[in-house]
Amino acid sequence: MAKAKKNRAFEFLGETVAPGERKVIELEAAKLYTHSPLSIPVEIINGKLAGPTLMVNAAIHGDELNGVEIVRQLINTIDVNKLKGTLIAVPIVNVFGFIHKSRYLPDRRDLNRCFPGSEKGSLASRMAHTFFSQVAKRCDYILDLHTGAIHRTNLPQIRADLSNPETLRIAQAFATPVTVDAPLRDGSLRSEAERLGIPVLTYEAGEALRFEPICISAGFIGVQRVMQAIGMLRASRKKLPNTVIAKSTSWLRAESDGILRTLVTLGEKVDKGQVLAYISAPLGHSEIELTARKGGIVIGQQTLPLVNEGDAIFHLAYFEEDDDEVEQVVEDFIEEIIDADLEPLTTGQINTHN
């Protein structure tokens, strides 16, 4: 059996991280009005042995918090002496949004529509350029952690361009119950990195401004499985759970204004024509049914019970497999995560909607 190669020093922003060393380095993102620098904290964990470079990042949208906790748990459990390759951990990319509990940057732009950015563009474009050129381009793989937007929640899922065989392989290793074969969206980190040949998974779970234990645990376990699959951590002998690939998804929208009463939950199988919710006037004298146009699985939904006509209410995924099988995969997944012996979250954190 060949002896594992020793790793080499990792150079980042003029600093050197030796094999077997970890270091937090500040990446200056912009300056405030006061000329005080605003920086993105980046932790480089350089394993003693050679291997790939993986970035795990969260909070590209500043109000999406589950990923921040996943990164924290990850860096606290990595043994640098057993790590092969280099882990780049970025818990908070959009530091502006994080400080203000906002999805966006101060110029109201979405950072995840601004990659690869420009050195002389808007604030969002400059931040995207700095992060993409200094950090993302250094990676062999990227795991980009997200949640649903404000008042929307997502079933734990991977979104990826599955036409890339290596991206498909690591998506199957992450093993969320549902994997969405999602087209690349111009300006996103995933799109621009994939164009450079860097496999990227976008993990979506839970909703904004919450810590949700099942979503955090599922993400933490999934990241570890990917690290095992790409040879950064010792492989587990446990069989990977199934993930089912959705070939298409669509949003079901409100057909009138009013108060929403939902009848289904995340991960639930729905049939064509099934009533998923009622929308009624405040006094309840008139009521309309919101029905599924075809059978699928609920992978996202609005959590706010007040709706306007046209609001996206349910995100449904459609499969070639039998929906009963998919629903069973979701149930097994939730049970496995609940049974996993992971770090407890602090009191006051909110349970998942699942």
Side-chain angles (χ1 to χ4, degrees), residues 226-240:
V226 170
M227 293 180 74
Q228 290 166 347
I230 63 177
M232 295 183 76
L233 297 176
R234 179 178 289 180
S236 167
R237 290 182 183 173
K238 279 182 75 177
K239 185 174 178 281
L240 284 174

Side-chain angles (χ1 to χ4, degrees), residues 111-274:
L111 183 58
N112 209 31
R113 299 293 176 268
C114 296
F115 291 103
S118 160
E119 207 171 352
K120 297 186 176 174
S122 65
L123 169 66
S125 191
R126 287 174 190 230
M127 271 190 76
H129 172 77
T130 299
F131 186 70
F132 195 75
S133 60
Q134 299 290 339
V135 190
K137 277 186 168 180
R138 303 288 306 276
C139 303
D140 298 311
Y141 299 89
I142 295 173
L143 302 180
D144 183 19
L145 310 179
H146 288 260
T147 77
I150 192 88
H151 305 314
R152 278 193 193 157
T153 187
N154 285 327
L155 180 76
Q157 61 196 261
I158 286 293
R159 297 180 188 173
D161 173 19
L162 302 182
S163 64
N164 178 341
E166 185 62 1
T167 306
L168 172 60
R169 186 178 80 87
I170 63 171
Q172 289 170 328
F174 202 113
T176 52
V178 172
T179 297
V180 179
D181 190 0
L184 298 174
R185 182 175 275 173
D186 283 349
S188 68
L189 175 64
R190 180 166 71 90
S191 165
E192 300 309 316
E194 283 275 1
R195 282 180 183 141
L196 296 179
I198 303 168
V200 183
L201 301 183
T202 299
Y203 174 65
E204 290 273 359
E207 68 178 295
L209 295 175
R210 291 173 185 258
F211 267 6
E212 295 161 291
I214 285 179
C215 300
I216 291 164
S217 297
F220 173 72
I221 291 169
V223 171
Q224 285 193 316
R225 285 178 179 146
V226 170
M227 293 180 74
Q228 290 166 347
I230 63 177
M232 295 183 76
L233 297 176
R234 179 178 289 180
S236 167
R237 290 182 183 173
K238 279 182 75 177
K239 185 174 178 281
L240 284 174
N242 288 332
T243 183
V244 190
I245 295 170
K247 286 301 175 189
S248 65
T249 69
S250 68
W251 279 95
L252 195 60
R253 295 181 178 274
E255 293 166 16
S256 71
D257 313 310
I259 294 171
L260 179 75
R261 289 183 292 121
T262 60
L263 305 179
V264 294
T265 58
L266 289 179
E268 195 169 321
K269 172 198 166 191
V270 300
D271 298 315
K272 181 178 180 180
Q274 181 178 336

Side-chain angles (χ1 to χ4, degrees), residues 14 49 56 129 185 270 301 334:
L49 300 171
V56 183
H129 172 77
R185 182 175 275 173
V270 300
Q301 68 183 77
I334 299 300

Side-chain angles (χ1 to χ4, degrees), residues 41-62:
V42 179
E43 181 155 351
I44 308 290
I45 305 175
N46 202 23
K48 280 203 165 177
L49 300 171
T53 299
L54 166 71
M55 175 170 73
V56 183
N57 66 273
I60 278 182
H61 296 129

Side-chain angles (χ1 to χ4, degrees), residues 280-323:
S280 60
L283 293 176
H285 297 314
S286 63
E287 183 171 77
I288 70 154
E289 297 176 341
L290 197 60
T291 58
R293 294 192 188 94
K294 59 181 185 174
I297 296 286
V298 181
I299 63 166
Q301 68 183 77
Q302 178 167 316
T303 58
L304 190 69
L306 313 174
V307 298
N308 291 113
E309 187 175 356
D311 283 355
I313 308 299
F314 295 104
H315 197 192
L316 300 180
Y318 309 109
F319 302 88
E320 290 173 355
E321 289 85 352
D322 186 296
D323 288 339

